[in-house]
């Protein structure tokens, strides 16, 4: 098994503008820009550093027609840092999101803040948590799902990341090197009915092993997805709950 999660991919109306927001929000650099595509990377990393985690933003004609199954959660180091970060993000163009839409917002008061970026992608700014002290600015990439145990089984076998915990409501994985954000699956009553605005990109190593890895993923339960991508060097698949992801590489 030789696949790692290297980046999340955002669909956007304006990749350059959304890229500027997230680069400023995370204090990351813009590693490359092309027609309709903006790539972001943390300072000190060059793609595809195995310890790095990246963001890819791609302009598409209809990002608003898809749903929000995946979101980012940002780490903070103190209450003051959380307050400062929320204020700075609002200055950059983030807006308060409807907390009633937050799957965990069944409490009257929660310690995190739910915001939306300039294109409406919701994310959380978390209160300080010990578990996220060394993740960098992104604490976790969170996926809403119906069955965290089943998702954990698939993704634990799909990638070389380490499964840290799993129960009926929640599952957590992280890079085997113990660096970067966590990948978390949280149970929600909602069902997936359309494409997601945010998806994962996986990279095989060596990169020439893409076709072998794609075949292995199909045996684990991944299915092929036709998004009209045509002849591209990556393969689009979906996990057992229909969340699209791409396997990058050659072939």
């Amino acid at each position: 098994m030789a696949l790692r999660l290297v980046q999340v991919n955002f669909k956007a109306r304006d990749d350059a503008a959304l890229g500027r927001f997230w680069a400023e929000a995370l204090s990351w650099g813009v590693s490359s820009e092309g027609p309709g595509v903006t790539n972001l990377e943390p300072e000190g990393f060059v793609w595809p550093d195995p310890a790095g985690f990246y963001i890819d933003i791609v302009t598409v004609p209809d990002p608003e027609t898809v749903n929000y199954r995946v979101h980012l959660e940002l780490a903070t180091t103190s209450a003051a840092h959380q307050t400062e970060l929320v204020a700075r993000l609002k200055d950059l163009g983030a807006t308060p999101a409807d907390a009633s839409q937050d799957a965990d917002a069944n409490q009257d008061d929660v310690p995190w803040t739910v915001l939306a970026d300039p294109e409406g992608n919701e994310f959380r700014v978390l209160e300080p948590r010990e578990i996220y002290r060394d993740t960098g600015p992104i604490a976790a990439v969170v996926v809403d799902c119906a069955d965290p145990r089943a998702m954990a089984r698939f993704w634990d076998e799909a990638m070389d990341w380490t499964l840290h915990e799993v129960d009926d409501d929640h599952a957590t994985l992280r890079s085997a090197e113990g660096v970067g954000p966590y990948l978390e699956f949280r149970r929600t009553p909602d069902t997936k009915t359309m494409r997601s605005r945010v998806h994962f990109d996986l990279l095989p190593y060596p990169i020439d092993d893409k076709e072998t890895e794609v075949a292995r993923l199909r045996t684990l339960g991944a299915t092929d997805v036709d998004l009209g991508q045509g002849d591209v060097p990556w393969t689009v698949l979906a996990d057992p709950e229909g969340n699209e992801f791409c396997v990058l590489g050659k072939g």
Side-chain angles (χ1 to χ4, degrees):
M1 179 178 64
L3 275 173
R4 60 175 177 259
L5 173 58
V6 290
Q7 66 187 17
V8 289
N9 180 297
F10 280 76
K11 299 175 178 69
R13 289 185 295 275
D14 184 338
D15 63 283
L18 192 60
R20 286 192 296 271
F21 169 84
W22 280 107
E24 291 286 341
L26 302 172
S27 298
W28 283 12
V30 176
S31 60
S32 64
E33 291 181 283
V37 181
T38 298
N39 306 108
L40 308 180
E41 65 183 19
E43 297 295 339
F45 291 88
V46 177
W47 170 275
D49 191 315
F53 183 79
Y54 308 85
I55 292 178
D56 193 37
I57 302 174
V58 180
T59 292
V60 297
D62 60 347
E64 60 280 340
T65 66
V66 293
N67 61 357
Y68 302 89
R69 297 275 294 181
V70 182
H71 72 267
L72 301 183
E73 299 197 337
L74 306 187
T76 61
T77 57
S78 66
H81 180 210
Q82 184 184 17
T83 299
E84 175 188 336
L85 179 57
V86 168
R88 185 168 69 84
L89 291 166
K90 289 178 178 177
D91 287 342
L92 292 173
T95 54
D98 182 0
S100 68
Q101 303 304 309
D102 191 317
D104 291 336
N106 55 359
Q107 309 170 51
D108 292 333
D109 186 24
V110 292
W112 57 81
T113 299
V114 184
L115 298 173
D117 70 20
E119 292 212 5
N121 299 293
E122 295 180 6
F123 62 97
R124 291 181 185 177
V125 181
L126 301 179
E127 76 286 0
R129 301 185 191 183
E130 181 65 20
I131 189 174
Y132 301 135
R133 71 187 184 281
D134 63 350
T135 60
I138 302 176
V141 181
V142 179
V143 183
D144 294 339
C145 65
D147 187 344
R149 290 188 183 276
M151 292 290 276
R153 282 194 296 272
F154 173 82
W155 284 101
D156 186 36
E157 293 186 65
M159 301 190 302
D160 66 352
W161 281 29
T162 300
L163 181 63
H164 284 264
E165 60 178 312
V166 60
D167 58 35
D168 290 341
D169 295 315
H170 182 256
T172 301
L173 299 92
R174 196 184 188 196
S175 163
E177 287 80 18
V179 296
Y182 286 81
L183 173 60
E184 302 186 11
F185 297 95
R186 295 182 189 159
R187 187 171 64 86
T188 175
D190 297 333
T191 57
K192 186 182 191 313
T193 58
M194 57 186 75
R195 290 164 49 199
S196 297
R197 290 188 72 151
V198 181
H199 71 258
F200 303 151
D201 285 340
L202 309 183
L203 186 69
Y205 52 99
I207 198 168
D208 291 338
D209 281 354
K210 191 199 79 166
E211 294 304 325
T212 299
E213 289 300 312
V214 167
R216 184 178 65 84
L217 290 165
R218 291 179 180 131
T219 69
L220 296 176
T223 53
D224 291 276
V225 177
D226 185 358
L227 302 176
Q229 63 266 24
D231 185 15
V232 293
W234 58 85
T235 299
V236 185
L237 300 172
D239 69 19
E241 290 203 8
N243 299 293
E244 298 90 6
F245 64 94
C246 294
V247 182
L248 309 180
K250 302 175 182 178

